[in-house]
Amino acid sequence: MDVATIVNELLGPEGRRDPYPLYEQLRAFGRVVQTDEFMVAVTGHEEADEILRAPAFGVIDPALRAQFEPDYLDHPGKTLLGESILERNAPDHARMRSLISSVFTARRVAALAPAVTAAVDGLLDELADHGDAPLDFLDAFAFRLPIGVICELLGVPDEDRHLFRPLAADLTVTLEALVEDDELAASDLAAVELSRYFSELAARRRADPKDDLVSALVATADADPQRLSDTELIANLSLLLVAGFETTGNLLGNALALLFEHPDVADRLRDGTLDPSALVDEVLRFDSPVQLTSRVALTDGLAVAGRPVPRNTGVLLLIGAANRDPRRFTDPGRFDPDRRDGQPLSFGGGPHYCLGAQLARLEATAALPALLRRFPALAPAGPADRRERLVLRGYRTLPVTLGSEG
């Protein structure tokens, strides 16, 4: 197949379900491949890492998107996250990120460890009450854990937490390369609902502050409105919420599916002879919840791997391909939690490195060993159903039976 055909296959249903063979076919054309007149795709780990860290490459911000998408401003599903750090370049990105980082600190996340352990134990207790009937691991555990944790961190009341998984699923579809009209309409509704919710929550915290992230961000923004507008506050709260559990839920689902395929690895995780952090790193590398991201050349005279990348050229960073680059990882198509040949790029790099990376690792390393120890006979209860998405990779359903407790 030629490059154009491979790219079209990636965007199709089969390619979205299993992109890895297509990544390898694309890699055969080079580490940086011209896909059309205005776009290149990057399959190499070194090259993707270089671009993620280079100030000369930025995200495709709202101003540029509006030039190429005439209806961009008509869709809140597209514009909501456009006001967040996810889709802003310097100096706006640095201004907003420094403020958010000042309250969403490593110390605050580390302090959540006991709460994460308690949340895991509580969910496992609920699973134990379920009995022997099959259940969907994603609904019963994988998404409930990170939803509970990020909502606790933000200060979202318990009674509201059930609202957010469908809203996040609808909103994040706009991150995909192809969006159907009905999906875009659902995304618009989700954006309006999230904006309304966080506007009201911010107003309540402004009047009655609590010990939570929303209160801290509101107070910091109020102290210096030039650093964070009301629109940016709502956009970034929405981003923290959806990013706080969408990718972590997919990470847990992808991890369990791989543990079912590799029972020897599951045994080692259960008996404590495998470091949970090593397992999580390998799941992130082998089947990343984030498969691609994009950048744009901001200046003239750029080149990557010897290929010129003119100003305003779009760059598709195929994270899933870079994480299986044979120049970086030995036998990259093999799932091996014992490998020590480098970190995956699943959380990005450079100024846009994922703010929630530490929290996602904390949740996954707490949850997976505890799950396997509590339910040593945990097993698939039928075929898992993949979501047909390319950017955010995970399962729609993952049916399991628990068996007896350990």
Side-chain angles (χ1 to χ4, degrees):
M1 287 192 287
D2 60 17
V3 168
T5 303
I6 295 170
V7 171
N8 285 335
E9 290 284 330
L10 273 173
L11 296 174
E14 290 301 321
R16 284 177 283 177
R17 279 192 287 269
D18 184 12
Y20 297 107
L22 294 166
Y23 291 156
E24 295 311 309
Q25 292 180 42
L26 195 60
R27 195 193 311 279
F29 287 90
R31 293 167 285 168
V32 180
V33 180
Q34 194 84 36
T35 61
D36 61 33
E37 184 181 358
F38 304 106
M39 184 76 68
V40 298
V42 177
T43 64
H45 185 284
E46 179 182 349
E47 293 74 24
D49 190 41
E50 174 189 339
I51 291 169
L52 287 168
R53 297 174 187 278
F57 290 93
V59 296
I60 301 174
D61 63 18
L64 190 58
R65 286 191 67 177
Q67 291 182 33
F68 293 97
E69 299 178 40
D71 66 343
Y72 174 75
L73 296 176
D74 298 329
H75 291 287
K78 295 181 177 182
T79 59
L80 176 61
L81 295 183
E83 295 294 330
S84 76
I85 59 173
L86 184 68
E87 296 185 8
R88 300 292 281 276
N89 292 309
D92 289 338
H93 177 270
R95 168 178 57 81
M96 288 190 283
R97 182 164 178 130
S98 66
L99 187 149
I100 297 167
S101 299
S102 72
V103 296
F104 189 35
T105 62
R107 179 177 296 179
R108 186 186 286 263
V109 172
L112 282 172
V116 170
T117 299
V120 168
D121 291 342
L123 286 173
L124 294 179
D125 288 342
E126 290 186 36
L127 291 183
D129 292 337
H130 182 80
D132 295 331
L135 56 83
D136 179 14
F137 173 70
L138 300 179
D139 279 339
F141 189 92
F143 282 101
R144 289 184 63 195
L145 174 64
I147 286 171
V149 171
I150 194 62
C151 285
E152 184 70 24
L153 183 63
L154 288 169
V156 171
D158 289 350
E159 61 270 20
D160 295 341
R161 297 178 182 182
H162 68 283
L163 302 170
F164 296 114
R165 185 184 174 192
L167 290 175
D170 287 341
L171 180 66
T172 54
V173 75
T174 60
L175 302 176
E176 297 294 321
L178 292 178
V179 183
E180 301 294 337
D181 288 345
D182 60 336
E183 294 175 322
L184 184 55
S187 178
D188 288 342
L189 292 173
V192 170
E193 180 60 22
L194 284 168
S195 296
R196 181 201 62 78
Y197 184 87
F198 280 115
S199 294
E200 293 176 358
L201 183 59
R204 296 202 301 271
R205 291 297 184 264
R206 186 171 281 116
D208 182 18
K210 307 291 185 184
D211 183 20
D212 58 44
L213 201 60
V214 172
S215 298
L217 278 172
V218 166
T220 306
D222 287 353
D224 186 357
Q226 297 301 312
R227 292 187 65 192
L228 195 70
S229 70
D230 286 345
T231 300
E232 291 167 343
L233 172 66
I234 300 311
N236 282 293
L237 288 174
S238 300
L239 173 65
L240 288 171
L241 178 81
V242 300
F245 69 84
E246 179 82 358
T247 52
T248 305
N250 287 336
L251 169 60
L252 292 170
N254 293 353
L256 185 60
L258 284 166
L259 289 169
F260 285 153
E261 294 175 14
H262 300 273
D264 56 322
V265 176
D267 288 342
R268 293 175 56 204
L269 188 65
R270 184 182 293 111
D271 66 21
T273 57
L274 175 62
D275 180 359
S277 296
L279 171 76
V280 170
D281 281 345
E282 181 65 349
V283 173
L284 287 166
R285 185 198 70 82
F286 188 82
D287 199 17
S288 175
V290 178
Q291 286 288 304
L292 69 86
T293 188
S294 59
R295 294 291 186 268
V296 64
L298 299 177
T299 64
D300 295 313
L302 298 177
V304 180
R307 176 181 289 276
V309 184
R311 184 187 183 95
N312 288 338
T313 298
V315 183
L316 286 178
L317 300 172
L318 298 174
I319 302 299
N323 284 344
R324 295 194 184 192
D325 184 350
R327 295 180 306 127
R328 187 68 181 83
F329 300 100
T330 303
D331 195 6
R334 179 168 56 91
F335 182 68
D336 179 13
D338 294 318
R339 68 173 63 249
R340 295 291 183 269
D341 46 6
Q343 291 289 321
L345 294 176
S346 305
F347 290 123
H352 283 271
Y353 184 78
C354 177
L355 271 174
Q358 180 187 357
L359 182 58
R361 290 181 186 278
L362 174 63
E363 293 173 85
T365 54
L368 292 167
L371 173 71
L372 294 185
R373 289 171 187 151
R374 184 73 176 268
F375 302 105
L378 183 71
D385 181 21
R386 277 277 184 195
R387 296 167 71 185
E388 287 188 9
R389 291 193 179 184
L390 181 57
V391 176
L392 298 181
R393 180 168 170 79
Y395 291 92
R396 182 179 290 108
T397 59
L398 185 57
V400 301
T401 53
L402 300 174
S404 58
E405 294 183 67

